[in-house]
Amino acid sequence: MGTNAAIVLVVIAMMSLVGAGTFLLVHLPIAILASSIGVWLFYVQHQFENTRWAHNEEWSFHEAALYGSSYYDLPAPLRWITANIGVHHAHHLASRIPCYRLPEVLTDFPQLREISRLTLKQSLECAQLALWDEERRRLVLFEHANAETPPVRA
């Protein structure tokens, strides 16, 4: 609560210093961009073709952590900017590991590098996935919802 109060005070001080319009003209686009990036990261790390969803009786903590969230294998600058949250499956397994230590998990447990791995290019294709196919246990495109055997992407 103290941090939130301090942020409010800084915003009020900045608005009174430069004016509300100027402050919002600069900070609103930044906030919208940062929020959009955050939503994208959350989306692609849980909505990818080979994700795993399970009903109560089938659900397992370790299965959900490893296969229900992705390893978003980003280029080094983006890993740094996003505080290594691309190592999301390891984060789900042990959320108390600090973000700066997440890459060490991949070094110590190299088998985690291939589990639910998603590249930047592959993540762009995830935006089209919208429906969970219960029989095939994967996300599919709307156009493949009623198909006998929807194409499987590599």
Side-chain angles (χ1 to χ4, degrees), residues 1-153:
M1 295 301 287
T3 301
N4 291 340
I7 290 170
V8 168
L9 290 175
V10 167
V11 167
I12 290 170
M14 292 300 294
M15 283 183 165
S16 64
L17 185 66
V18 299
T22 303
F23 178 83
L24 292 175
L25 192 62
V26 171
H27 289 282
L28 202 55
I30 293 169
I32 290 170
L33 179 62
S35 298
S36 299
I37 291 169
V39 167
W40 175 255
L41 287 169
F42 184 84
Y43 179 83
V44 299
Q45 292 184 313
H46 296 97
Q47 301 282 117
F48 54 98
E49 186 172 9
N50 294 315
T51 190
R52 296 238 181 115
W53 292 355
H55 296 283
N56 292 343
E57 63 278 356
E58 299 171 344
W59 188 87
S60 150
F61 173 80
H62 292 100
E63 289 277 321
L66 286 174
Y67 302 103
S69 57
S70 69
Y71 162 41
Y72 198 14
D73 193 3
L74 295 169
L78 292 178
R79 282 195 306 264
W80 183 80
I81 289 170
T82 61
N84 297 307
I85 199 58
V87 189
H88 208 67
H89 59 329
H91 163 75
H92 274 266
L93 273 176
S95 61
R96 296 186 69 173
I97 297 173
C99 61
Y100 59 87
R101 284 260 160 95
L102 286 170
E104 294 174 31
V105 173
L106 296 179
T107 302
D108 294 343
F109 302 94
Q111 62 273 30
L112 291 177
R113 288 183 178 276
E114 296 308 316
I115 296 176
S116 302
R117 183 175 177 267
L118 191 63
T119 64
L120 188 58
K121 182 179 181 254
Q122 290 169 324
S123 73
L124 298 175
E125 297 168 1
C126 290
Q128 300 174 33
L129 300 172
L131 299 170
W132 178 250
D133 185 325
E134 192 68 37
E135 290 177 14
R136 291 173 186 80
R137 312 214 24 100
R138 68 184 330 124
L139 287 171
V140 296
L141 303 171
F142 269 113
E143 62 201 43
H144 299 150
N146 294 323
E148 287 288 322
T149 54
V152 176
R153 292 185 284 184

